[in-house]
Amino acid sequence: MALPDLRLSVVDHARGKRSPVTCRLKCADACLGPECNTSANPEFRSLASAALSRRALLGMGAAGAVAIAVGDAFGAAPAQAAPGRGAAAASGLPFEPIAPVASTVDEFTVPAGYRWSALVRWGDPIFPDAPGFDLANQTPAAQARQFGYNVDYIDVIADEGGLTGVLVANHEYVNPAIMFPPSSDPAELRMRSEIYKAAQGMAVVEVERDAIGAPWRIVVGGRRNRRLTVDSEFALTGPAAGSDLVRTAADPSGRTVLGTLGNCAGGTTPWGTVLSGEENFNGYFSAPADTPSRARYGFRQAPTSTGWETWDRRFDGTAPGYENEANRFGYIVEIDPQDPTSTPVKHTAMGRFKHEGANVRIAEDGRVVAYMGDDERGDYLYKFVSKHRYNPNRADAAARKQNLRLLAEGDLFVARFSGDSPASEITGTGALPSDGAFDGTGEWIALTRKGRSAVPGMTVEEVLVHTRLAADRVGATKMDRCEDVEPHPTTGRVYVACTNNTRRGLDYAVDEANPRATNRDGHVIELTELDGQGGTRFSWSILLLCGDPAGISQTYFAGYPKELVSPISCPDNVAFDGEGNLWISTDGAPSTIRKNDGLFKVPLEGPERGRVQQFLSVPRDAETCGPIIRDDEGMVFVAVQHPGEDGTFAAPTSRFPDYGSTAPGAAAAPRPSVVQVWRG
């Protein structure tokens, strides 16, 4: 089993946001493969003529009029002269924005007055029987008892009292070239392939601290500590569970799946569970694109970076009896971090696609609404609305059991956007149309209703397993890679991070929701539900057209003066602080604006609306993931994913986070880590 050449096709990859290493390992060279979405969906321009004007919207009744009035007010340019690049507005996290850090610098940079430390690193033991991390002597058994590799979503869930809690983390994928030295020995490569299984999945680790606002430390052997890997047991829920589409020779019932793959972003529910999105699952399978569904999900019969298909029939798409194995991945996973004996679940009712994550809000009528993005060029924005209502009595055992079933039944929708500007004014340059904003209305189109298919010619099982094909049929709007999608905790407005799409204008026409051709820097959409959180109509506007204003003219920051913002490129994950500000982490700035990725604060209201301010910068080659903002404690958490990814085992380009330390467990190699930042 040979390791792949990760340095192929550098010229092709340079069109996009990532290094060729990330493209190969994280998304299986999706940008080099054939276009997955070849549907003839109505392009946005052809839908614009059917869009309602702002004047018409004001006649929709009080709820619609209020929603649009609020959107217009917040979309206006600042009412007074913008302040200079001074300290951010008073808050629990006051800071002077840092200067962008060159992409060749291997440092974790925070503002003056702040400190940072790695809360937990790849390979740190989380169980008493786990050996200390030894880069030169890794084993599958050790890795299964240690913290896993590249982390994306994180949350720190404090217990009552605030001095103990749990850290929950996703482990998205691995990078063999910087985990191990080169080898051609079959036995060694097989062992490494087994380590890759143990290094992915999820982790729950207990944490403790001495005071509120003080840094946390992990508790090795904590009662709730847990690792979920590619061989852990998951239960399927929802209408597709048990169907012919998910049965295999090893699981003829179609209800129990081993493992979770490509776990990207996620969300924490009001009832205390954690959701995780299975994203680039197709890259783990060697499977021919011999059906419309396999082609639509980007499968290829080619060697994978893990080599699992050479010794585990599950990952060989041609193995008799395992043709449906890939249909058992691509879902939203739910885990109860408080109960290490519980079986995590995969919710088929929420659809199967390349889930970035899922974030939940309780609707006005008590139902649960989850927003989700499909992270591939030209794919879609989704919403799930539960059948049953949330019970806020979390202390009641019966209520908790009821809440744990909320995501198993409900209606699935996909978004269709319409703009309110003439097509001639959407030029692809990023220049604002004559009304001063990229905005309009939209509708949530039902894919399922009351447990039945809402897509002609498809059963409900087909809709939920082949969700992309179903969304194609109903004419959803092709987007510029919807990554994290999160509702605001107080206003309910929904923020959609569209990370980029370098093929916009080539494979897809520009439209008002995706207005830039060759959209290398991405944008952020602000969406307002018009009929309540569970309704089917919304208005929208573009909050940010990202980029470096000093380098390109086609940027927009909600009307805020461009010369006063921090440059930002490739928005990925979003979060909110206690004051309602938006925080954005990035993935791809090194290959677009030649700066290290970072974390940025963006006020959403008042005269500073749209003022992007950089809070931190991650080390060389790394991506900023899973931001948590605890401004009431003066703390911020991020996951640092794939530091030093462009290096080799012998010549690393990053030494984060150990940086030459000789302490026990340190390593002279890059180690993906969860980092905590605090005032002090």
Side-chain angles (χ1 to χ4, degrees):
M1 182 178 70
L3 291 174
D5 182 355
L6 302 179
R7 304 192 180 279
L8 298 175
S9 308
V10 172
V11 173
D12 289 319
H13 284 277
R15 294 195 309 259
K17 74 171 186 176
R18 291 172 169 157
S19 85
V21 175
T22 309
C23 286
R24 177 64 50 85
L25 297 173
K26 189 170 189 175
C27 52
D29 290 324
C31 58
L32 295 182
E35 202 60 46
C36 286
N37 191 348
T38 59
S39 67
N41 284 0
E43 291 293 348
F44 199 97
R45 290 184 176 187
S46 67
L47 294 171
S49 61
L52 297 172
S53 68
R54 289 174 181 243
R55 184 174 294 110
L57 278 170
L58 292 175
M60 285 181 170
V66 169
I68 295 302
V70 170
D72 284 348
F74 286 130
Q80 61 188 51
R85 279 192 59 155
S91 72
L93 289 168
F95 68 96
E96 183 90 11
I98 68 168
V101 178
S103 60
T104 55
V105 175
D106 184 33
E107 295 178 359
F108 189 96
T109 306
V110 297
Y114 288 83
R115 302 172 63 188
W116 72 271
S117 69
L119 172 57
V120 61
R121 306 161 294 179
W122 163 51
D124 282 346
I126 64 173
F127 298 98
D129 60 350
F133 181 63
D134 185 345
L135 188 67
N137 294 286
Q138 301 178 59
T139 68
Q143 179 63 88
R145 309 292 282 175
Q146 297 167 336
F147 197 68
Y149 206 71
N150 279 325
V151 176
D152 201 300
Y153 182 75
I154 55 173
D155 200 359
V156 177
I157 304 172
D159 301 327
E160 186 176 356
L163 300 184
T164 61
V166 290
L167 164 71
V168 186
N170 290 352
H171 297 296
E172 188 171 6
Y173 71 102
V174 296
N175 186 337
I178 58 177
M179 295 172 71
F180 299 99
S183 175
S184 58
D185 177 61
E188 172 68 18
L189 293 176
R190 168 62 185 272
M191 184 198 71
R192 293 179 183 182
S193 189
E194 293 179 6
I195 290 174
Y196 306 152
K197 276 191 173 184
Q200 297 181 66
M202 299 181 70
V204 179
V205 187
E206 289 196 351
V207 292
E208 62 183 11
R209 59 182 173 179
D210 297 325
I212 303 297
W216 295 89
R217 55 187 175 268
I218 67 169
V219 179
V220 177
R223 178 186 63 81
R224 292 168 286 184
N225 287 10
R226 188 177 192 185
R227 278 297 318 280
L228 297 171
T229 72
V230 179
D231 288 326
S232 299
E233 187 173 291
F234 289 74
L236 284 175
T237 75
S243 76
D244 289 343
L245 296 175
V246 295
R247 294 175 183 169
T248 69
D251 177 30
S253 71
R255 295 186 179 276
T256 302
V257 179
L258 294 184
T260 184
L261 293 172
N263 296 78
C264 197
T268 300
T269 68
W271 51 96
T273 61
V274 171
L275 308 179
S276 173
E278 294 184 316
E279 189 184 8
N280 295 299
F281 58 92
N282 61 301
Y284 293 93
F285 293 85
S286 179
D290 53 0
T291 66
S293 179
R294 280 187 173 180
R296 186 65 178 83
Y297 284 85
F299 286 92
R300 299 179 217 164
Q301 190 163 10
T304 69
S305 61
T306 65
W308 295 337
E309 74 281 2
T310 64
W311 58 274
D312 186 337
R313 289 177 296 174
R314 292 197 294 147
F315 300 98
D316 179 358
T318 64
Y322 292 88
E323 295 87 352
N324 289 336
E325 185 67 30
N327 291 346
R328 294 145 64 85
F329 296 87
Y331 298 101
I332 291 296
V333 169
E334 184 173 17
I335 177 176
D336 183 355
Q338 306 302 330
D339 182 1
T341 67
S342 61
T343 300
V345 298
K346 298 188 180 190
H347 291 299
T348 67
M350 301 177 79
R352 173 176 168 265
F353 45 88
K354 293 186 180 181
H355 283 278
E356 174 75 11
N359 287 278
V360 165
R361 182 175 173 84
I362 306 302
E364 296 81 354
D365 63 1
R367 290 181 297 166
V368 169
V369 179
Y371 294 92
M372 305 171 288
D374 187 344
D375 183 14
E376 189 150 16
R377 290 185 321 225
D379 267 290
Y380 307 127
L381 175 66
Y382 294 86
K383 178 170 83 169
F384 172 84
V385 182
S386 69
K387 175 181 178 180
H388 300 290
R389 288 169 171 76
Y390 169 64
N391 188 328
N393 186 6
R394 289 179 57 178
D396 180 73
R400 179 170 174 76
K401 186 175 181 180
Q402 170 187 328
N403 291 335
L404 288 170
R405 297 195 295 263
L406 283 171
L407 302 179
E409 296 181 83
D411 299 333
L412 183 63
F413 300 86
V414 67
R416 178 188 289 163
F417 289 75
S418 296
D420 65 2
S421 299
S424 61
E425 295 185 2
I426 310 302
T427 61
T429 64
L432 291 172
S434 59
D435 68 356
F438 295 112
D439 58 0
T441 59
E443 60 180 315
W444 294 107
I445 307 169
L447 299 178
T448 63
R449 281 285 200 184
K450 297 181 178 179
R452 298 177 180 272
S453 170
V455 181
M458 297 183 75
T459 65
V460 67
E461 295 88 355
E462 289 170 335
V463 168
L464 298 176
V465 174
H466 308 314
T467 307
R468 283 183 168 181
L469 294 176
D472 292 344
R473 289 197 181 191
V474 301
T477 299
K478 300 177 183 179
M479 303 297 291
D480 285 354
R481 293 188 55 203
C482 298
E483 295 224 23
D484 209 5
V485 185
E486 296 207 22
H488 193 282
T490 56
T491 68
R493 291 194 295 267
V494 180
Y495 293 83
V496 184
C498 297
T499 196
N500 68 18
N501 183 354
T502 57
R503 302 297 296 176
R504 179 66 67 175
L506 299 173
D507 298 326
Y508 319 92
V510 293
D511 55 52
E512 198 160 358
N514 306 276
R516 291 192 298 193
T518 315
N519 183 16
R520 291 176 60 87
D521 294 293
H523 58 287
V524 178
I525 294 175
E526 185 178 65
L527 184 153
T528 301
E529 297 280 16
L530 296 177
D531 301 316
Q533 220 75 36
T536 59
R537 297 181 306 150
F538 59 86
S539 64
W540 64 271
S541 65
I542 289 182
L543 176 74
L544 306 177
L545 285 179
C546 298
D548 184 352
I552 60 174
S553 60
Q554 53 189 37
T555 56
Y556 175 73
F557 302 95
Y560 197 83
K562 298 180 180 182
E563 66 274 13
L564 299 178
V565 305
S566 299
I568 181 173
S569 182
C570 303
D572 191 335
N573 300 133
V574 300
F576 303 95
D577 63 26
E579 299 176 333
N581 299 300
L582 178 70
W583 291 68
I584 303 172
S585 65
T586 65
D587 172 19
S591 61
T592 53
I593 60 175
R594 307 303 177 192
K595 306 297 181 184
N596 280 340
D597 279 309
L599 178 65
F600 302 79
K601 173 184 175 180
V602 187
L604 296 174
E605 302 186 20
E608 290 206 334
R609 173 175 161 89
R611 183 190 174 199
V612 178
Q613 304 151 71
Q614 186 166 2
F615 179 76
L616 63 77
S617 173
V618 295
R620 182 173 178 175
D621 303 342
E623 165 188 352
T624 319
C625 298
I628 307 171
I629 315 301
R630 300 282 161 79
D631 50 311
D632 58 332
E633 300 180 1
M635 299 196 74
V636 168
F637 303 82
V638 294
V640 177
Q641 191 181 106
H642 56 74
E645 67 176 349
D646 285 330
T648 64
F649 188 86
T653 58
S654 175
R655 303 280 185 172
F656 169 85
D658 296 336
Y659 289 124
S661 170
T662 58
R671 299 173 71 181
S673 304
V674 176
V675 172
Q676 54 189 339
V677 179
W678 68 97
R679 296 178 65 183

